[in-house]
Amino acid sequence: MRSLACLLIRAVLSVSALVLPFGVPAQQPVPVVPAQPVQVPPAPVVVPGTPVAAPAAVVPESAATPQEPRPASAQEPAGEQGNGDKKDEKKDDKQPPRRGIAIDDMLVHTHCARCHVLDSKQLMTRISYVRKSPEGWAETIKRMIRLHGLQVSPTDAKQLVRSLANSNGLARSEAERGLYESERRVHWSEEQQDQDFRRACAECHPLGRVLLQQRDPEEWQLLRATHVAMFPLARGQMGGGPPEDQSRRGGGGPPRGAGAAPATANANANSRGRGNAGSGDGNQQGPTQSVGDRVLAKLSEEQPLFSPAWEKWTKNRREVPLAGFWTVTGHETGRGDLSGTIELKRTDADEYEAVWNLAFADGTVVQRQGKGLLYAGYSWRGRSSDPEASGGTQWREVLLLDDAWQSLRGRMFTGAYDEIGCDVTLHRDLGRPRVLSLADAAVPVPSTGHVLTVRGESFPATIGLADLFVGQGITVTSIERRSDRELRVTLDVANGTELGPRTVAYGSEPGAVALQLYDTVDYVRITPLQGLARIGGARMPKQLERFEAFAVHRGPDGKPYTEDDVDLFQVRPRWALEEFRVYENDDDVRYVGAIDAATGVFTPNVDGPNPQRRWSGNNVGDVFVTAVVELDVAVRPPEPKPVPKLKDEPTTPAASEQAATEPPATAAAAGPLPRERKTFRARSHLLVTVPLYTRWMSLDWEDR
């Protein structure tokens, strides 16, 4: 026992001997440097009537360290030491004052002046030099709440968005530029945008978010600085930020205080994002101006703070009257065309109550009630619900008023990802007869007794055949007035009538809609051609996808699958899924979800690992969406083969006259074409991917 105790004591002593050398010895006192006494000069004797000189600065001896002589070029001129900003002040005096938008709302002052300085001209830093859409200002307020501790009630938050969207909003042309972002569209394209613009901004969010902003040049630069500060990877896309040798962590650059790096090294270190457009390496040396600099210069020019459209609107700003009845036309994917009315009742300045009465092509009739606001004189934002459908499902409305204040165009949408919606146009009821939309507007040539549905407003009780204009080659045989907003018109089309559109108008109206004359259906296409869905249901919601199919005519050029092809009418095919084979034994079609065979609505599978799938994979993948439909169509005769012309064959006037009298390729034959029952097949691609793990609408006050 005694030997065991001795061993333990020796072990403890040995460990202490190892530990103590690495610590601060307790027995060694830390030397204390005595503080140098501060020499205070005696107070000057003040003699009445004599000026008092300012006392000289007192510097302790410990702070009086020798200074290296400054280069002659860097030395300040005599009499200006300690006031080196005078040159900058003189230079700034020559520059024109920075223009901004005065903020006179006391609520904005109350909540924002703590961080944004307010001057005597009611200009606030940052805020007075930016204009955004209502969604842009809502996002800004959310960021202030999340990052800077802004305390605001839901009522005040709504009022802040409204105030800023009115005083610092967008003109109509500016709001239309990125309307698809506000409409929360799933299917959109930005391929027409500049490549540098897409490279700098589109890797993180839609370009529509940038297109819905107007800033002065300094604010565009601050926008980049904010991105680099909050999202460091943005420096590789847009450049900016401190030189790389100052921002490194863990070595790799010269130590601080070791002397300034050469100018070329700093230039190369700060060249991230300066490669050629389309280059993937942000460190490559390229033009003297970075991608971000070029993009910001273009944005400063094309999206300035003050634009002619905005200045014109602000000089003539007044409340836009929207109260009254409006006629609604539109289309919902998969469901078909819609028509109806909406009544707007003014409740306050730019605030309205709305009552919708809509009828769909499948016979469904719905009534919706809601409210809406008109921001900045053009941008309508509203919500409505149908109490009798799905527990009162909420629909959001994003509409844009035209310059003449006669129509509102946009989208109504719902769903966890805003993917379910319809395109609508609201026409102000002018109280005079006019045609606004058509149903069954594809008319075969020849045809007898084709029924065309004409929708509009204020149709009189008595209508003559000559009151309705339908274009050359078409005869109106009868008109049935169903209501003051709907007519049933019977048409006859003669043999040999040239194919193409015909304007339909009533009375003295010029007409804005047209029917389509065609001979046969050339093929069937599916929209969207590239579908997108997201699995969900366990932790995150699902994103549905809806498909629809249209019968298509080859168009004026006589060639199918070209840009001038014309959609004739919607068809109701049998929907199914097929495997999009990426690798051998691909089995995505078994796990991604199911499509309704009658409606074309795709519902994805649940999220999470699937133990029944190889390697417990998730229920994502690529599949084909197929549509099969049988139609009774006319059989077009085969195209005549061109007669080869001899090399030395002369062109006679008779031959030229004969060629000129031949009917065009889009003209129907001189007699009825034979008909047959034909099966059409079409398909599109569907990508089923993972959920989006971000809730954009996460605050109650956004339910406005």
Side-chain angles (χ1 to χ4, degrees):
M1 292 296 292
R2 180 176 299 178
S3 61
L4 179 60
C6 293
L7 290 175
L8 290 175
I9 293 173
R10 290 179 181 178
V12 171
L13 292 176
S14 61
V15 171
S16 301
L18 292 174
V19 173
L20 287 177
F22 294 94
V24 179
Q27 67 275 13
Q28 296 181 3
V30 179
V32 178
V33 179
Q36 298 292 334
V38 179
Q39 301 294 335
V40 180
V45 179
V46 180
V47 180
T50 60
V52 180
V58 179
V59 181
E61 292 182 6
S62 60
T65 56
Q67 299 286 340
E68 295 184 1
R70 300 176 62 184
S73 59
Q75 290 182 358
E76 298 176 356
E80 294 189 5
Q81 294 183 4
N83 194 18
D85 295 336
K86 285 187 176 181
K87 288 185 176 180
D88 296 336
E89 291 178 1
K90 294 179 180 179
K91 188 180 298 182
D92 292 339
D93 291 342
K94 298 179 181 179
Q95 297 179 355
R98 187 182 180 190
R99 290 186 63 192
I101 300 173
I103 308 297
D104 54 6
D105 189 347
M106 292 303 299
L107 185 65
V108 180
H109 295 176
T110 300
H111 289 287
C112 305
R114 184 184 66 174
C115 300
H116 300 274
V117 180
L118 178 68
D119 65 10
S120 59
K121 297 181 180 179
Q122 303 294 303
L123 299 179
M124 303 187 72
T125 54
R126 304 301 302 268
I127 299 176
S128 291
Y129 308 98
V130 182
R131 293 192 288 113
K132 299 180 183 181
S133 66
E135 289 78 15
W137 284 117
E139 194 67 28
T140 297
I141 295 175
K142 286 195 295 183
R143 187 169 63 252
M144 298 299 106
I145 295 173
R146 184 174 63 251
L147 300 180
H148 303 288
L150 174 64
Q151 301 292 330
V152 60
S153 65
T155 302
D156 286 352
K158 295 179 183 179
Q159 187 59 36
L160 285 174
V161 173
R162 180 177 180 181
S163 176
L164 293 172
N166 286 332
S167 64
N168 296 49
L170 300 175
R172 182 193 180 278
S173 57
E174 298 165 349
E176 187 177 23
R177 185 174 50 211
L179 188 63
Y180 64 90
E181 167 72 5
S182 299
E183 292 174 333
R184 295 291 190 266
R185 292 187 181 272
V186 178
H187 302 286
W188 40 265
S189 174
E190 296 173 334
E191 295 180 354
Q192 77 281 3
Q193 298 293 343
D194 178 74
Q195 186 176 5
D196 283 351
F197 188 22
R198 293 163 58 188
R199 175 187 173 188
C201 305
E203 294 186 16
C204 300
H205 54 71
L207 296 180
R209 190 173 302 181
V210 187
L211 296 174
L212 291 176
Q213 299 184 35
Q214 304 282 134
R215 299 170 179 259
D216 70 352
E218 183 175 338
E219 268 299 322
W220 282 117
Q221 294 292 338
L222 288 174
L223 178 66
R224 173 168 65 176
T226 303
H227 277 68
V228 174
M230 297 180 61
F231 313 103
L233 292 179
R235 186 181 179 191
Q237 302 167 215
M238 299 189 66
E244 190 168 332
D245 58 347
Q246 297 182 11
S247 61
R248 291 178 179 174
R249 297 293 183 268
R256 293 175 182 256
T264 55
N266 283 338
N268 291 338
N270 197 27
S271 63
R272 295 180 64 86
R274 293 192 179 187
N276 296 328
S279 172
D281 187 2
N283 288 321
Q284 288 184 354
Q285 224 175 340
T288 58
Q289 192 182 35
S290 69
V291 171
D293 291 336
R294 293 195 295 270
V295 171
L296 292 178
K298 185 176 180 181
L299 290 173
S300 299
E301 179 182 357
E302 297 182 354
Q303 297 176 224
L305 178 63
F306 293 97
S307 64
W310 177 252
E311 291 185 334
K312 179 181 178 181
W313 164 246
T314 54
K315 292 176 183 178
N316 300 280
R317 185 192 300 268
R318 66 184 179 95
E319 183 181 356
V320 179
L322 299 182
F325 280 92
W326 297 67
T327 303
V328 183
T329 60
H331 181 85
E332 182 177 351
T333 301
R335 204 171 183 181
D337 293 339
L338 63 89
S339 62
T341 62
I342 177 176
E343 183 182 6
L344 299 179
K345 296 181 179 179
R346 184 181 182 276
T347 58
D348 202 346
D350 296 324
E351 295 185 19
Y352 296 88
E353 290 183 351
V355 178
W356 300 75
N357 289 279
L358 303 177
F360 291 84
D362 59 1
T364 306
V365 178
V366 298
Q367 184 180 63
R368 309 186 66 85
Q369 298 178 358
K371 298 180 180 180
L373 284 172
L374 189 67
Y375 294 95
Y378 290 107
S379 299
W380 171 275
R381 301 294 185 269
R383 286 182 180 268
S384 62
S385 61
D386 181 6
E388 299 180 359
S390 303
T393 304
Q394 287 275 341
W395 284 70
R396 296 177 59 196
E397 306 152 12
V398 174
L399 307 173
L400 188 63
L401 184 68
D402 70 339
D403 286 327
W405 301 354
Q406 301 302 310
S407 66
L408 284 158
R409 179 185 58 84
R411 184 170 182 256
M412 301 168 58
F413 52 90
T414 186
Y417 295 86
D418 302 326
E419 74 276 24
I420 302 173
C422 51
D423 298 325
V424 295
T425 303
L426 280 59
H427 311 267
R428 189 190 294 272
D429 194 329
L430 301 178
R432 63 173 183 265
R434 60 172 176 165
V435 178
L436 297 175
S437 66
L438 304 173
D440 299 321
V443 184
V445 178
S447 62
T448 302
H450 181 87
V451 178
L452 174 71
T453 301
V454 178
R455 298 191 179 99
E457 58 192 26
S458 301
F459 292 132
T462 303
I463 301 177
L465 300 181
D467 294 336
L468 192 67
F469 175 80
V470 292
Q472 185 179 8
I474 306 175
T475 303
V476 178
T477 58
S478 66
I479 298 178
E480 178 188 359
R481 182 180 182 274
R482 302 290 297 272
S483 68
D484 62 340
R485 295 181 177 273
E486 182 176 325
L487 305 176
R488 292 293 180 89
V489 181
T490 305
L491 306 174
D492 289 344
V493 182
N495 291 335
T497 302
E498 185 176 350
L499 308 182
R502 297 290 190 276
T503 299
V504 179
Y506 185 90
S508 59
E509 288 290 325
V513 296
L515 56 80
Q516 179 71 29
L517 298 181
Y518 73 101
D519 53 359
T520 188
V521 174
D522 291 280
Y523 64 95
V524 170
R525 73 174 183 91
I526 299 176
T527 183
L529 186 60
Q530 299 286 342
L532 175 68
R534 297 181 186 273
I535 57 176
R539 297 188 59 185
M540 303 299 293
K542 298 181 178 182
Q543 177 176 338
L544 308 180
E545 183 60 285
R546 301 195 296 179
F547 296 89
E548 59 184 355
F550 292 91
V552 185
H553 185 259
R554 65 193 182 280
D557 64 356
K559 300 177 181 178
Y561 309 107
T562 57
E563 293 183 356
D564 69 340
D565 293 355
V566 181
D567 290 343
L568 299 176
F569 50 86
Q570 186 177 354
V571 297
R572 303 292 179 179
R574 298 187 303 274
W575 298 96
L577 300 178
E578 291 182 358
E579 189 63 64
F580 184 95
R581 299 197 178 277
V582 179
Y583 54 88
E584 188 177 1
N585 298 324
D586 199 352
D587 58 354
D588 292 342
V589 72
R590 296 174 53 191
Y591 299 104
V592 295
I595 190 170
D596 191 294
T599 63
V601 176
F602 174 79
T603 303
N605 209 338
V606 69
D607 54 341
N610 188 347
Q612 298 180 358
R613 200 169 189 184
R614 185 184 304 175
W615 304 309
S616 296
N618 218 327
N619 295 318
V620 299
D622 297 75
V623 293
F624 281 123
V625 175
T626 64
V628 180
V629 62
E630 292 184 356
L631 299 175
D632 182 48
V633 298
V635 180
R636 184 186 303 110
E639 297 288 341
K641 295 183 179 180
V643 179
K645 181 180 178 181
L646 299 178
K647 185 176 181 180
D648 299 331
E649 181 180 357
T651 302
T652 62
S656 300
E657 182 178 355
Q658 179 181 0
T661 57
E662 290 181 356
T666 57
L673 296 175
R675 307 187 68 85
E676 68 174 356
R677 194 73 177 175
K678 187 176 180 180
T679 301
F680 292 89
R681 292 179 172 83
R683 71 179 184 182
S684 67
H685 175 240
L686 172 62
L687 172 64
V688 184
T689 185
V690 297
L692 190 62
Y693 295 97
T694 302
R695 290 189 59 194
W696 301 110
M697 307 298 294
S698 58
L699 301 177
D700 294 337
W701 59 267
E702 294 181 281
D703 187 13
R704 58 189 183 277

